[in-house]
Amino acid sequence: MTKMKTKHSNRHLRLEPHEWPSLIKEPGFDEYYYQVTNFFYCMKPGQAVRLESEKNLRWLVKAACGFVTEGSNWERYQLDDDFTVLRRNSYTGPTSYEREVERTFREKHSKT
């Protein structure tokens, strides 16, 4: 009989909206969040990263959740259902937020 491999899940570690204020006050989390999100921003389109950590898996998963929901990152990044993989979507052009910023800029700076 073969042993079935159980699928690991980080779902229990996901970030709940009410957790952010206390999480950001935890000593060291802000520096950790900055380092992790810098890594996420440097990911290439189509690249994926496993959310695994021997030191602080809880912070990693919560940072990834916070990152995806920040600004328009949700348009380019996605977490799998088990919160074990963060993937940067293939590049599909500017996000709706970036298009809106460009439109507003053009309206303000167009010659009339």
Side-chain angles (χ1 to χ4, degrees), residues 18 21 24 30 36 56 60 65 67 78 90 101 105:
H18 67 276
I24 201 71
D30 53 346
V36 169
N56 205 335
L60 179 58
C65 291
F67 172 77
Q78 66 185 45
S90 297
V101 168
F105 178 84

Side-chain angles (χ1 to χ4, degrees), residues 81-92:
D81 292 338
D82 291 322
F83 295 80
T84 56
V85 176
L86 175 75
R87 179 178 314 283
R88 178 162 181 194
N89 300 330
S90 297
Y91 184 71
T92 56

